[in-house]
Amino acid sequence: MAEFDLIARIQARSRARADIALGVGDDAALLLPPDGQALAVTVDTLNSGMHFPAEALPADIGWKSLAVNLSDLAAMGAQPLWCTLSLALPRADVAWLDAFLDGFLALADGAGIALVGGDTTQIQGPPSISVTAMGAVPPGQALRRDGAQAGDDIWVTGTPGDAFVALTLWRQGRLDVTVPGPSADLESVRQRLLRPTPRLAAGLALRGLAHACVDISDGLLGDLGHICERSAVGARLRLDAVPVPAAQRRLAVAEDPYAAVLAGGDDYELCFTAAPAQRDAIAAALLAAGTEGSRIGSIVAGDGVEVVDALGHPWRPPHAAFQHFSADS
Ligand code: ADP
Ligand code: MG
């Protein structure tokens, strides 16, 4: 594989910045971290057929491979700084790479994260993309999973469930991920599956307000469960407080509209907890960040995540939280 052609194209599109002493092109990048701040470092790998449909367009794959990592930085309350990109590709396809970079760099530029290096290798099999993202957060201000306290409100941003609805429609052969959806509803959930918006501004705005935070990649219930485990607390969600967006109701992919919202995956919204005294401050912070938020329950003493309906009856998810993009999983 002519990997040097590919690397040259990546290098040509990488940019100089004051906090990058040396970027793409040497044996390692030289970076200048902000004084006294902690570096938040995260890596996520996307495999074709597993984390995105095999036929997904390269620009969408590029966007999503960075988005899932930026979502992790958002969930830590970190300011994005730099990233590296490891590409394992079956062949040196220049057109594929250019389109991939279009999507990747569109999001990178918007988020202020710079591509400073990576690795390019050939594999036998479909593409695998691994991104490492680095961000900065002042000491003691990171939004960790282990800070939730009994009595906290539980909040969620945006409209979880959209991506799962799109995934379900794709699995049923009712959604083509390569072209705009035939209706506004279909197109909105398609975008949410292929081009999720990492909640970076919300994560930054929640510094000093949220006690605990996680991004929802494996489903709201499962990821809230991580907060509970790490914080040694339980959670009680009120079904009547959980938003089911109108588009999800109209598309009606499941008998139970709450299944997608609570147990779907791939949403990249933030779920966080905070003291009830901060309700107004949080509403203002989310508004300033341009992100909707819903208050959906409370942290309680104990363990586990419980969902109750308006009558106090327990609700259980009708399917497992996480589903892959291959037909046989
Ligand atoms: P080495 O053999 O020292 O690992 P490489 O040939 O792998 O060097 O990479 C050369 C330069 O190109 C390095 O600076 C590396 O960070 C960069 N690079 C390689 N692949 C990518 C990629 N997919 N994205 C960004 N930078 C890359
Ligand atoms: Mg290398």
Side-chain angles (χ1 to χ4, degrees):
M1 183 172 76
E3 79 194 54
F4 296 109
D5 291 351
L6 297 186
I7 295 173
R9 296 183 92 81
I10 295 169
Q11 185 167 20
R13 294 180 71 172
S14 69
R15 301 225 199 104
R17 213 167 71 177
D19 61 351
I20 306 170
L22 193 57
V24 174
D26 213 307
D27 294 313
L30 296 175
L31 308 171
L32 306 169
D35 259 358
Q37 297 208 21
L39 268 191
V41 181
T42 182
V43 59
D44 261 322
T45 300
L46 269 64
N47 295 326
S48 176
M50 186 78 81
H51 302 103
F52 54 85
E55 71 270 26
L57 299 178
D60 291 332
I61 300 168
W63 176 286
K64 187 158 182 175
S65 63
L66 180 59
V68 301
N69 283 280
L70 288 174
S71 179
D72 283 323
L73 292 185
M76 293 304 289
Q79 174 74 52
L81 292 174
W82 313 294
C83 61
T84 62
L85 168 63
S86 180
L87 286 172
L89 304 174
R91 69 193 76 83
D93 182 338
V94 161
W96 188 95
L97 178 77
D98 287 347
F100 176 93
L101 289 174
D102 289 344
F104 187 98
L105 294 174
L107 178 58
D109 290 347
I113 194 164
L115 178 61
V116 296
D119 196 26
T120 306
T121 57
Q122 186 165 21
I123 47 163
Q124 285 186 318
S128 174
I129 301 112
S130 184
V131 174
T132 298
M134 288 160 270
V137 59
Q141 289 191 36
L143 308 178
R144 302 162 52 131
R145 294 179 177 184
D146 59 5
Q149 299 168 20
D152 278 359
D153 292 327
I154 300 168
W155 295 75
V156 69
T157 62
T159 54
D162 289 346
F164 181 80
V165 167
L167 176 59
T168 304
L169 291 166
W170 173 77
R171 289 174 149 244
Q172 295 171 344
R174 294 160 63 197
L175 180 70
D176 182 344
V177 293
T178 66
V179 294
S183 72
D185 285 345
L186 280 170
E187 180 56 9
S188 76
V189 296
R190 193 185 76 94
Q191 288 291 335
R192 295 265 294 148
L193 177 65
L194 298 173
R195 297 213 171 205
T197 305
R199 301 302 182 191
L200 287 161
L204 292 176
L206 289 170
R207 284 179 184 171
L209 290 175
H211 286 158
C213 184
V214 68
D215 75 317
I216 308 173
S217 49
D218 296 343
L220 176 52
L221 293 183
D223 288 314
L224 176 57
H226 296 315
I227 286 184
C228 289
E229 274 168 39
R230 297 296 301 271
S231 301
V233 293
R236 190 175 166 93
L237 295 188
R238 298 186 322 275
L239 212 52
D240 55 328
V242 170
V244 180
Q248 286 187 35
R249 287 194 188 276
R250 286 191 295 266
L251 291 167
V253 298
E255 270 174 48
D256 184 339
Y258 292 104
V261 180
L262 293 174
D266 244 9
D267 285 313
Y268 308 103
E269 296 294 346
L270 300 180
C271 175
F272 60 95
T273 83
Q278 302 289 3
R279 280 176 195 170
D280 290 347
I282 285 169
L286 293 178
L287 189 68
T291 306
E292 289 168 56
S294 307
R295 196 156 44 77
I296 58 173
S298 304
I299 295 294
V300 296
D303 58 31
V305 180
E306 185 192 26
V307 187
V308 294
D309 66 18
L311 299 172
H313 297 144
W315 178 91
R316 278 182 215 304
H319 62 79
F322 186 73
Q323 305 209 1
H324 289 313
F325 286 91
S326 57
D328 59 351
S329 61

